[in-house]
Amino acid sequence: AASDVYKRQNINFVKDAMFAATNEAGGTSFRSRYNDRKFMFAGKTGSSQIKRFTELQRELEIKQKDIDYKDRDHALFVAFAPYSDPKYAISVVVEHGGTGSGSAAPIAKKVIKKVLERDQLRENVKSLIGEEMLNYLLIFLERRAEVLVRQWE
């Protein structure tokens, strides 16, 4: 149907824009890209304003890193990977992180690489123990990780 064609065109438009933001010079997350096609991802940075900049701050071109921590914007980054055959999506929010490109995208870059490095292992485990058992195992590990995070806080 025609609506399916438009949907596909819109999806491709967004995918291409996210690819450009991460993998083309001048893109907001260009510094967080991987040149290795195995780890190539597409993403978009963002921020959530915490406090309005004053006219003087704008004139002086004050940067997020130069203001009080509690007044810095929250940093955002969303991405999918690998670009050529999307399997994973990630969303990173860094409270008072300032900019998505400066704090959220570098975190996503590291997570994406680890996830993609372990993708084949995950597939091998799934074929050995079955998808249902793998899901139980992942839920267990996720809960264990939550406990560890609470212990670090």
Side-chain angles (χ1 to χ4, degrees), residues 70-139:
K70 65 177 178 46
D71 293 335
R72 292 180 192 166
D73 293 346
H74 296 324
L76 315 169
F77 187 72
V78 295
F80 64 89
Y83 176 75
S84 59
D85 182 25
K87 286 178 148 182
Y88 303 99
I90 186 170
S91 174
V92 177
V93 177
V94 180
E95 290 184 353
H96 307 291
T99 64
S101 62
S103 58
I107 292 169
K109 174 184 181 176
K110 291 176 183 178
V111 172
I112 287 168
K113 186 172 186 193
K114 284 294 180 195
V115 167
L116 293 176
E117 285 174 339
R118 295 175 182 176
D119 186 61
Q120 188 59 51
L121 174 63
R122 191 175 297 106
E123 291 300 318
N124 292 344
V125 169
K126 184 166 59 173
S127 68
L128 287 172
I129 66 173
E131 189 167 355
E132 186 175 354
M133 186 58 76
L134 177 61
N135 288 336
Y136 286 125
L137 178 61
L138 292 174
I139 290 168

